Amino acid sequence: MIEAGFTVIAQDADIVWTRDPRPVYSQPSLIDIRSELAPAVGSRSPANTGFVIVQPNKKTLAFAHAMVHLVPITYWRSCDQLAFNSVLRHWRFRQLHYESLPRRLFLDLHIEGGRGGTRDLISNETFLLHAVGSEKEMKFLKVGEWYFRPGCSHFSQDVYTSMPESFVKALQVEDSP
């Protein structure tokens, strides 16, 4: 896609768009790669690869080629995010312009405990919510963004047999009159 001249948006499956970021962030830019911020220590910051926007140019094409060759070698020992950040910080890519997307607009959902409770940061300006970590379904349910439930045309009760019991109970309470 990059080689064909398209801006690429890649995202994880645990993301809900609350607004369409494409009109703002897919336009030609001097910034080569944008991604969510990875504030967690173990992520080897800065990039959270859950949501990435890549502009098409020679630098990002070289970056993509490096990733294609590196990920099969490193993925079995770590994760794509670690490989992505390693390549991003490599001296050969110093000319690459990277920018973290504004956290208030691209939120990672940390709702429980002392991790920053991002639920209160959701606004009409927020573009997306990323349910990082565990209990993803519960995080989306708590912020009103879980739609796979009775009434959804794709819903199947069989799927709920694999869901955590606490989530199924919370969903039943929310769906009751």
Side-chain angles (χ1 to χ4, degrees):
M1 300 286 295
I2 295 168
E3 202 165 9
F6 291 99
T7 298
V8 173
I9 295 178
Q11 76 170 52
D12 287 351
D14 58 355
I15 288 180
V16 170
W17 287 24
T18 55
R19 286 192 321 140
D20 187 353
R22 292 175 300 173
V24 178
Y25 290 99
S26 294
Q27 302 304 316
S29 169
L30 296 176
I31 308 299
D32 299 311
I33 298 176
R34 293 180 168 110
S35 78
E36 283 183 278
L37 177 64
V41 175
S43 65
R44 305 274 204 258
S45 293
N48 178 331
T49 56
F51 188 82
V52 180
I53 303 170
V54 182
Q55 296 291 331
N57 60 47
K58 289 180 182 180
K59 295 179 287 183
T60 57
L61 185 58
F63 182 87
H65 284 297
M67 287 297 299
V68 165
H69 294 292
L70 180 64
V71 167
I73 297 167
T74 61
Y75 194 71
W76 65 274
R77 286 190 63 201
S78 59
C79 67
D80 65 321
Q81 190 161 299
L82 187 58
F84 188 93
N85 280 298
S86 295
V87 174
L88 191 62
R89 289 189 317 269
H90 194 277
W91 65 270
R92 289 186 187 255
F93 295 101
R94 276 188 283 190
Q95 297 285 326
L96 199 77
H97 293 216
Y98 168 79
E99 176 180 86
S100 293
L101 293 163
R103 187 164 185 237
R104 65 183 178 78
L105 303 178
F106 296 82
L107 285 174
D108 53 329
L109 291 177
H110 293 294
I111 297 172
E112 304 299 330
R115 299 213 46 203
T118 52
R119 179 191 347 206
D120 295 338
L121 300 176
I122 299 171
S123 73
N124 291 337
E125 294 179 351
T126 303
F127 284 108
L128 61 88
L129 305 172
H130 186 180
V132 298
S134 60
E135 298 186 357
K136 296 171 187 298
E137 300 91 351
M138 191 65 84
K139 289 175 182 178
F140 283 131
L141 183 64
K142 286 185 177 184
V143 297
E145 294 292 341
W146 182 260
Y147 300 100
F148 188 66
R149 53 178 14 141
C152 171
S153 61
H154 302 289
F155 179 79
S156 168
Q157 189 66 39
D158 296 338
V159 173
Y160 279 84
T161 60
S162 64
M163 297 287 194
E165 188 177 331
S166 60
F167 173 73
V168 175
K169 285 181 181 176
L171 184 60
Q172 289 168 345
V173 168
E174 187 173 285
D175 284 341
S176 64

